[in-house]
Every structure is written in structure tokens, then in C-alpha cells.
Amino acid sequence: MMLARRARDWLPALGVFVAGIGLWQGFVKGLHVQRFLLPAPSAIWTAFSSNQNQLWHEGWFTFQEALGGFAIGCTAGILFAIIVARWDLLGSALMPYAIAANAIPIIAFAPITNAWFDPLTKTSKMVIAAVLCFFPVFVNVVRGLRSVKPEQIELMRSYAVGELTVFRLVRVPTALPFLFTALRVASVLAMIGSIVAEYYGGSLDALGANIEQDASLFQFEKAWAEIIIASLLGIGFYLAVVALERLATRWQPREEIVGA
Amino acid sequence: MSAVSIKNVSKEFKGGTKALEDIDLEIEQREFVSLIGPSGCGKSTLLRIVGDLIEPTSGGVTVNGKPARQARHDHDYGIVFQDPVLYDWRTVARNIALPLELAGWDRNRRSQRVDEMLDLVELRGFGEHHPWQLSGGMQQRVSIARALSFDPALLLMDEPFGALDEMTRERLNAELLRIWQASESTIVFVTHSIAEAVFLSTRVVVMSSRPGRVSKLIPIDLSQPRSAATREDPRFFELATEVREALHMGGGYDMPLAATGLSEGAT
Amino acid sequence: MASVAVERPLAEDAPVKRARRRGLLLLAVLVLLWGFWEGFRALGIHYGWQRPFTVDATSMPHIHDMIWALFQRPNPEAPLLIVTLLKAAAFTGREAALGFAMGATGGFAIGALLAHSRMLQRGLLPYVVASQTIPILAIAPMVVIWLASVQVTPWVSVAVIAAYLTFFPVVIATIRGLQAADHRAVELMRSYAANRWTVLWKLRFPMALPFLFSALRISATASIVGAIIGEQPSSIAGGLGGAILNFAQYYSFQPQNLWATNIIAAALGIAFFLVVVAAEKLVVRRAPEHVA
Ligand SMILES: Nc1ncnc2c1ncn2[C@@H]1O[C@H](COP(=O)(O)OP(=O)(O)O)[C@@H](O)[C@H]1O
Ligand SMILES: [Mg+2]
């Protein structure tokens, strides 16, 4: 049963994958597309397997930045959200500004964090990733904590329990789906944010700096292999959050959409 | 000592809505009292005031001789809302166990009581389901089981069967009477069904609207225990008629034709 | 009549009051931020803080210096900084606007397609999600080269990169939104013998609008981000991305110039966002009429 459902869910995606790789290979080989435009999957695979150790090393370096930024940004977002949601007036007053601040292209500040922190350290990238993660988490958790149904609070009042118990038993569970929606977005943002920040200068242990260097040295196959590592790590991170969400919100009817 | 004593209670909401004016009502221990009246006459508001979920603008309420607040803190009453108000993230069993958890019952006692309650509302086997997997009627039964689980001395029920089909409703009516008789509890029951009010109650409180007032108290002298035969008793019809007439006297139900919008098509 | 005369001023008064209160609040927030910045700076310099970063005149220029820098010439031949930056913002804004338009249209089309079929959703949606994990900056140079080979001007290539960041939220919101219509409402439409298209336009689309707009808000920001980071590998110097790279090189001498550039970039992002919010106010308020 379970297995059949899994298969039904993933077979189409697998089919698209195989067909996509096949088409790509055929397209590149058949039309003699130049390698700086688009290398063939087979060539990328060769580059991938001959540089495996280095690639995973770079990936792990960048992933640590992403993970650190994610942890800092999400924790800060949750804490601020709790404070803001608790003092309702403060929250209603500040929310519009938080939302507008979210419209700032934060990545533009990467050169500044590079100047603040040593660009070779992970910290300079973590900060960008953290700021990127902060806003969606903050906004969503505030929304979640506030979308509690009044009658659910009323029932708790009838049991004469304290505010902390209401928070634990009602507000937190209500906010969890909102939180996870934001965490999914944040996981992708953290990964992309770290890599893009590395572009503005950083350690050569990192993916972003290497992609840039390889592309400028005409090592396109290796650059693509790095792009694919980055993407795999991003997908892995995202799926880990989804798995955690499934665990933490097991009560929910299972959703069809995998997206944010 | 009366179970509920409501003295001079008035309630005006912030927007200026006068929901209740000068309500006086004494409910004795072991009574089954139904509140009936047009929608918006303040039935739910009165129930919430008794439960100390909102405060009256003036006047006071005592429950079992204590101020309403004290009674709430002593877990003297269980409440059932019009909507089931279940916690989506808890299973049916854990929803029912919630008040027991908060009252500090240990796990064994809890699960034993939950099983009894599931049997009572005929939901055996659904304990591990989540609310979204249940129909509206089943959800409402869960919320009734939850209110009953800790044997409160007073049950406040706000149109609990309003959303159910007629069959389920009659069965649950009979069930509720059985529970009421087996326990020592007092029930305050809000409904908009005349038949339900007469069938269940020892007394019907008819309310009128704008502002909400008690317009008539009608003792129901049908013999106990009530059964299917009760509904065919001529006395049942007499009392139902009396309630109906009291409701119409209070306005609200006999709308003038113009207000229904029917007259427009005619002219 | 008399009551109308009494009520009028009241009705007009409320929005004015609210606007004034909002203005004051904005001012308060800005003053608070300014105070926080300058306070942190003063304390940091006084106590020689090294953590989390070294606080000095380079890492934290005065806010008034950043503003002041806007009205200076970065070098004697150059125009005022603000003139350069506004030109750059217009340039980047144009890329972002085109990218936003392409991304939103494309995203809606893909979303509408996927909303129609579970099979397509299962086959393609994972890749739509995965596409967002590809660091766009990494493939940007190739995108520019690809498009240049079919005679596309560089700024349009940057718009394509911006579109790539824009389309994703729209796809997800379109799928969610189009499936959000109450099935009873759909059945009601069917009972009027409405066909698929009518149901789509009269019911599903209006229902999807709120979802769409919340996605468009995210996309508005994403399009600016895409344009700024897309400019870098494309060697386009005329936009904000180019300006950021340029001033980043001189950060240790003239930090205020980079900060000033980022202030303009932030303003551009917020402006885009506000345009979408305004459009939403206009459209969604009218939506009920369309539904009826
Ligand atoms: N929280 C509230 N704020 C303002 N007005 C309310 C509130 N709750 C109820 N009312 C108003 O009070 C009146 C009585 O409401 P309610 O007690 O719910 O009536 P009933 O349960 O008899 O239908 C109605 O006019 C209703 O609009
Ligand atoms: Mg009511």
C-alpha cells in the first residue's frame, strides 16, 4: 500500500528526470552545442566523479554556512515573533515595517558583511543567510500565533489555565504549520544566500567562489558539477525540513503540493 | 444552595450592543433548564457569563454558591459550544482527555475514562483518529464527551445539537437525558428547537430580544423518565404550544411581511 | 439631511487621523533605527568592541554621512552620486520590471497547467522546487551568453534571470489558489451548465487572486534581487548591481558610498513591493463584483 503510493507519487518525477537527461545529452551531442554554452550530462558526470572529494568538501563548507545562518535567522525570527505576538499593539504597529523591510534586496549587503567580518570566514556568509531567513520566519510565526481560533482560547479559559499553558497547548500547535511553511522557504534561501554571498568574495573552500573561478577558467564541466552539488544540497536541506514538518505536524491531512 | 443564581445581569458590548438587560434567574440543583429565544437575543452571551468567559456589565452570577470566577477555577462546569471546538493536533482520545490532563489525572485513569466516554458517545474505535477525519456530528459528540469526562456538577451547552441531523439529534437527546439522570449534574441548555426544549427540560426559559430579557418561565411537568412515548403525549403538545406562544409574544419570530422581502415581489 | 451634515466630517476625519498616526509611527521607527545605529556605533568605538565585528568609522559610517554622500561627487569628473544612483536604479528597475512581468506570466501559465492535472504536478513540481535550489548567479553568465547568441541585448538577459527568481512563488500560489475554490461553489457553477473555462474565469481565478497577490509581493522583491545579482556576471555596469560591485572595491576609503547605494537599492525594493500592494488594493477590492 505504502510502497504503491510512494511509487505513484514519485514515478512521474523519475520519468521526467530520465527523459530530461536523455534529451539534454541528445541535444548537446546531436547539435554539437559548444561546451561553454552547455556541457553534456556525461561530461558533467565525468567532472563530478573525478573531483568528488573536493566537490563534497566545498559543498560541506557552504552547507555549514547555510545551516548556521538558518539556525541563527530562524531562532531570532521565532523569538521576535513571540514577543511581538504577545504584545498585540506593538505587533500590529510594527508588522507593516517588518513586511516592507522584507522587500529590501538583502543580498546587496553581502559586500558590507564581507567588510564587517573577515570574508574568508563562514560568519560573513552566515549573517547574510540569517537575515534572509529572519523575515519569512518572523512574519509567518506572528501570523500563526495570531490565527488561533477565539473559541479554542475560550475553552482553555473555561479550564482556568494560565497564559503559558495556553501558549504551549494552543498557540504553538496552531503556529507550527505556519512556521514550517517559512522554514521551507528559509532552507532554500539560506543555501542560495550563502552561495551568492560567496560570489562577492570568500574562501576558496566554498562552492560559490569555486563556481565563479571555474567558470572564468573555462572549466565549465566542473562548474556545472558544483552547481549540481549546490542544488542537491539545497534539495536535501529542503526535504529534511519537509520530513521534520511531517513529523511535527503529523495530525494534518497530507498535502499534495510539495512547494512552499 | 442553587446551582446557578443570576442576579440583575446586564451586558453591553463595546460597540454599544445591548445584549442582555436585567436578567434574573435561579436554577436549582439537578434541574435541566433550556434557554430558548430568537437568534441574537443573548443566549450564548448569558451562557458565557455563567461560565465567567466574559464579564457582565452589571449584576452578578454565583455557581454552587460561589462567585462564577471561583467556580471556573474549581472546574465546576463543563461547556459545549455550538461548534465542536476541537484541537486539530490532538487525537479524539487526547481531546477528550485534555481537561483530565489539566486536572492532573494520571495516565491510566485518563485512558480508562476516555474509553468509557468513547463508549458513551458511541465513538469506540475512533480514539486514534484526528478531528478532520470525523463528520460534523461525530466531532460534536467528541466535544460532549470532553465536557462530560470530568463529571462537572454543571453542564453548559450552547446549541450542541444544532448542526446534527434529526435522527442523531433524537438519539443524543435520549442519551443526554440518560447521562443527566445517572449523574448528579445540572444542565443549562441553549436551543432554538421548541420540541427539543420541551422534551429535555424540567423548565424552559423563554427569552426575547433587543435587549435580551427573560420573557417567560415555563415549568415542564412531563413525567420522568422521558421516552419516545413522551413526544406523543398530549401534554407535550400543550407545552410546546405554550412555549411557541411565549416566543411569539416576545416578538422576533413573527416578522412583519415587509421585513421578509416577500412583499416586494407582490407589488 | 441634518444627520448627513453631522456625519460627513467624521467620515473624512478618520482616514486623515489614521494617516497622521501612521506617519508619526514611521517617523518613530526611523528615529529608533537611527538612534540604535548611532548608539551602537558610539558605544562600540568607545569600548573598542571587536565582536561581533570591529566597530569603527569604516564598518559603521554615520547615517548623516551616507545621506550626505548622495549629494557629493564620488570623483571630480563624476556627477552627483544621487544622479548616478537614480539612473542605475532606473536601469535595474527596468530589468526587474520586465523580469517580473515575464516571471509572473510564465509562473501563472505553469501553475494553471499544473493545477489541472495531478499527473503533471507529480512529474514536474519537484523540478519547479528544485529549480529554486540552483544558485542562479552561477548560471547567469551562461544565460547571458545563450541569449546573446540569439541577439538578445544584455539587459533583457538580466530580466530573464530576474524572471527565473520570480516565477516560483507564482507557480505555487496559482496551484493553491486555483484549487482553493469551494467544491460546492464549483458544483453550483456546474449546475448552471458552466463549462471548464467559465468555471476557471468566473470562479477559480477570482478565488485565486489573494493567493496570487501574496506571491506577487514576494516576486516583486525577488525580481529586484535577481536583477541586481544578474548584473554582476553579465558585466553590466549601468545598474545598481554594477554600482555595488564598484563601490565595494573602494569600501575601505569611502564606505558611505556603498551604504548610500544600498539605501537606494532598498528603496527600489520597497517601491516595487508597494506598487504590488497598491495594485492588490485596487484589484482585490473590486473582485467581489467579478465573482457575482
Ligand atoms: N463579542 C461580541 N462583541 C459585540 N457584540 C456581540 C459579541 N457577542 C455577541 N454580540 C451581540 O450580542 C447579541 C447577542 O448575541 P448572542 O448571545 O450570540 O445571541 P444568541 O446566542 O442568542 O443568538 C447579538 O446582537 C450579537 O451581535
Ligand atoms: Mg448563540
Side-chain angles (χ1 to χ4, degrees):
Chain A
M1 248 307 275
M2 197 64 190
L3 219 65
R5 211 180 61 192
R6 281 273 157 80
R8 192 199 57 185
D9 282 359
W10 291 106
L11 266 180
L14 198 70
V16 170
F17 181 77
V18 172
I21 296 283
L23 272 177
W24 180 356
Q25 179 82 16
F27 172 74
V28 171
K29 291 286 170 197
L31 296 178
H32 303 287
V33 177
Q34 279 160 303
R35 55 183 274 275
F36 69 90
L37 287 177
L38 188 65
S42 55
I44 297 173
W45 176 250
T46 314
F48 183 85
S49 37
S50 56
N51 292 298
Q52 256 201 30
N53 286 342
Q54 192 209 339
L55 290 178
W56 285 115
H57 177 77
E58 292 164 11
W60 173 234
F61 188 93
T62 299
F63 188 67
Q64 282 174 304
E65 295 169 350
L67 204 62
F70 179 85
I72 299 168
C74 295
T75 312
I78 293 169
L79 288 181
F80 271 82
I82 290 173
I83 294 171
V84 161
R86 172 67 185 75
W87 285 281
D88 224 34
L89 267 173
L90 179 81
S92 337
L94 291 185
M95 271 309 261
Y97 300 104
I99 292 171
N102 195 21
I104 295 173
I106 287 155
I107 217 62
F109 287 78
I112 289 176
T113 60
N114 272 346
W116 276 6
F117 308 95
D118 181 354
L120 297 181
T121 60
K122 295 192 187 101
T123 320
S124 56
K125 315 300 181 288
M126 274 186 203
V127 171
I128 287 290
V131 178
L132 279 172
C133 294
F134 175 84
F135 286 104
V137 171
F138 172 74
V139 170
N140 259 33
V141 173
V142 170
R143 250 183 222 147
L145 289 173
R146 285 206 184 155
S147 56
V148 170
K149 295 190 192 118
E151 280 150 342
Q152 295 188 333
I153 301 286
E154 236 181 357
L155 187 66
M156 282 291 162
R157 188 175 151 89
S158 86
Y159 298 142
V161 296
E163 207 174 327
L164 213 66
T165 312
V166 177
F167 183 77
R168 184 168 57 84
L169 290 182
V170 185
R171 288 193 194 275
V172 170
T174 307
L176 271 187
F178 290 81
L179 169 67
F180 274 105
T181 303
L183 290 187
R184 283 194 260 170
V185 175
S187 67
V188 173
L189 283 178
M191 199 61 202
I192 296 191
S194 308
I195 292 174
V196 173
E198 285 160 6
Y199 255 75
Y200 286 98
S203 161
L204 268 183
D205 283 331
L207 268 182
N210 270 289
I211 297 174
E212 192 186 23
Q213 197 189 39
D214 289 335
S216 63
L217 295 177
F218 299 106
Q219 297 185 329
F220 297 105
E221 291 82 5
K222 185 157 165 267
W224 272 97
E226 276 151 348
I227 290 169
I228 286 165
I229 289 271
S231 179
L232 286 180
L233 285 169
I235 294 169
F237 197 178
Y238 180 86
L239 289 181
V241 173
V242 171
L244 200 66
E245 173 174 17
R246 290 260 163 88
L247 263 179
T249 62
R250 246 178 306 187
W251 73 80
Q252 285 193 313
R254 217 181 126 222
E255 273 195 70
E256 286 287 341
I257 298 181
V258 267
Chain B
M1 178 185 69
S2 37
V4 178
S5 159
I6 301 168
K7 291 221 164 66
N8 286 323
V9 161
S10 300
K11 175 72 188 178
E12 189 176 330
F13 283 106
K14 271 197 195 107
T17 316
K18 272 205 162 153
L20 295 170
E21 194 168 81
D22 265 339
I23 304 282
D24 274 298
L25 186 63
E26 292 287 322
I27 298 172
E28 297 309 319
Q29 300 286 347
R30 309 276 298 109
E31 262 199 286
F32 192 129
V33 171
S34 288
L35 306 178
I36 193 168
S39 121
C41 74
K43 305 179 294 289
S44 300
T45 304
L46 186 58
L47 211 67
R48 284 186 159 85
I49 290 176
V50 171
D52 186 42
L53 298 178
I54 54 177
E55 280 174 26
T57 315
S58 63
V61 175
T62 62
V63 173
N64 293 337
K66 310 177 250 194
R69 166 132 331 155
Q70 187 60 44
R72 175 165 67 86
H73 280 271
D74 293 349
H75 296 220
D76 275 1
Y77 73 86
I79 189 163
V80 179
F81 294 102
Q82 191 163 354
D83 298 319
V85 195
L86 299 178
Y87 297 102
D88 310 321
W89 47 90
R90 289 178 160 249
T91 58
V92 166
R94 296 195 61 224
N95 264 289
I96 296 174
L98 178 65
L100 310 178
E101 240 173 87
L102 293 170
W105 289 33
D106 67 47
R107 188 181 293 266
N108 282 338
R109 249 181 101 209
R110 263 186 350 232
S111 77
Q112 200 182 335
R113 174 53 64 92
V114 167
D115 287 344
E116 287 167 30
M117 287 297 136
L118 285 172
D119 282 345
L120 185 74
V121 296
E122 293 179 22
L123 283 175
R124 156 168 288 203
F126 287 94
E128 292 314 304
H129 283 59
H130 280 282
W132 62 271
Q133 296 167 304
L134 268 51
S135 73
M138 291 158 92
Q139 292 182 4
Q140 190 58 289
R141 270 139 70 196
V142 175
S143 82
I144 291 168
R146 176 176 60 192
L148 292 171
S149 64
F150 59 103
D151 262 336
L154 174 65
L155 253 183
L156 305 176
M157 307 182 90
D158 192 354
E159 302 192 34
F161 307 139
L164 303 187
D165 61 280
E166 200 59 28
M167 297 281 286
T168 317
R169 188 175 179 139
E170 286 191 4
R171 224 197 56 244
L172 284 177
N173 279 347
E175 201 55 50
L176 182 63
L177 279 180
R178 197 180 58 68
I179 293 162
W180 172 62
Q181 269 173 340
S183 69
E184 299 281 293
S185 56
T186 309
I187 296 181
V188 184
F189 188 94
V190 173
T191 178
H192 55 237
S193 156
I194 296 172
E196 192 173 59
V198 173
F199 178 72
L200 291 173
S201 315
T202 55
R203 201 150 52 114
V204 172
V205 177
V206 180
M207 294 175 67
S208 61
S209 59
R210 245 153 267 153
R213 284 205 176 94
V214 173
S215 58
K216 196 166 186 193
L217 301 174
I218 302 174
I220 306 295
D221 49 12
L222 295 165
S223 64
Q224 299 281 4
R226 314 256 163 96
S227 64
T230 311
R231 295 185 198 270
E232 277 143 36
D233 190 332
R235 181 71 189 137
F236 180 84
F237 291 105
E238 278 172 38
L239 287 163
T241 307
E242 196 180 341
V243 172
R244 184 172 295 115
E245 276 167 1
L247 278 168
H248 283 235
M249 295 293 286
Y253 278 123
D254 49 351
M255 284 188 200
L257 196 59
T260 63
L262 287 173
S263 57
E264 270 171 42
T267 49
Chain C
M1 282 314 273
S3 75
V4 170
V6 175
E7 275 170 25
R8 246 241 187 93
L10 265 177
E12 274 177 4
D13 219 29
V16 171
K17 244 188 199 159
R18 202 182 321 140
R20 187 184 305 154
R21 196 178 323 142
R22 275 205 191 155
L24 281 177
L25 195 70
L26 175 61
L27 203 66
V29 168
L30 289 177
V31 168
L32 207 77
L33 283 177
W34 177 81
F36 181 74
W37 178 269
E38 294 293 336
F40 187 91
R41 182 182 192 276
L43 286 174
I45 290 177
H46 185 261
Y47 292 104
W49 284 348
Q50 302 290 325
R51 272 174 196 280
F53 55 90
T54 308
V55 179
D56 56 28
T58 312
S59 62
M60 295 182 80
H62 281 298
I63 302 237
H64 51 93
D65 281 342
M66 300 176 196
I67 311 272
W68 181 242
L70 284 172
F71 303 98
Q72 302 288 305
R73 294 170 199 280
N75 60 62
E77 298 96 73
L80 292 183
L81 183 59
I82 186 150
V83 175
T84 317
L85 288 182
L86 286 181
K87 271 189 194 152
F91 188 88
T92 301
R94 184 175 58 157
E95 295 163 348
L98 180 62
F100 178 81
M102 292 193 294
T105 320
F108 182 75
I110 296 174
L113 193 70
L114 295 191
H116 261 270
S117 144
R118 275 281 137 79
M119 193 69 180
L120 278 179
Q121 245 180 69
R122 294 214 175 94
L124 296 179
L125 202 54
Y127 298 102
V128 174
V129 176
S131 75
Q132 296 307 296
T133 65
I134 290 180
I136 177 66
L137 200 63
I139 54 168
M142 285 161 259
V143 173
V144 175
I145 296 173
W146 291 336
L147 293 175
S149 70
V150 284
Q151 262 74 52
V152 173
T153 40
W155 78 267
V156 178
S157 308
V158 176
V160 171
I161 293 163
Y164 185 86
L165 283 188
T166 310
F167 89 103
F168 175 70
V170 181
V171 173
I172 299 297
T174 306
I175 297 176
R176 279 243 162 111
L178 289 180
Q179 291 176 345
D182 188 345
H183 66 95
R184 280 170 303 187
V186 175
E187 279 157 17
L188 187 66
M189 291 288 276
R190 290 260 158 77
S191 79
Y192 301 148
N195 64 25
R196 249 185 130 118
W197 282 106
T198 318
V199 174
L200 184 68
W201 285 114
K202 292 259 164 180
L203 182 71
R204 292 197 191 270
F205 184 62
M207 288 292 284
L209 275 180
F211 291 83
L212 269 177
F213 271 105
S214 63
L216 290 180
R217 290 186 201 186
I218 301 172
S219 294
T221 310
S223 70
I224 299 284
V225 171
I228 288 178
I229 62 179
E231 282 171 12
Q232 186 196 3
S234 327
S235 319
I236 290 179
L240 284 175
I244 288 169
L245 271 186
N246 180 27
F247 290 125
Q249 286 165 1
Y250 299 105
Y251 188 79
S252 39
F253 313 110
Q254 295 169 307
Q256 69 276 16
N257 286 348
L258 182 57
W259 279 100
T261 310
N262 278 344
I263 289 175
I264 299 294
L268 183 63
I270 293 173
F272 255 56
F273 171 79
L274 290 180
V275 168
V276 173
V277 172
E280 177 176 5
K281 284 244 163 83
L282 272 175
V283 174
V284 175
R285 188 174 295 167
R286 289 210 197 118
E289 289 169 30
H290 292 305
V291 180

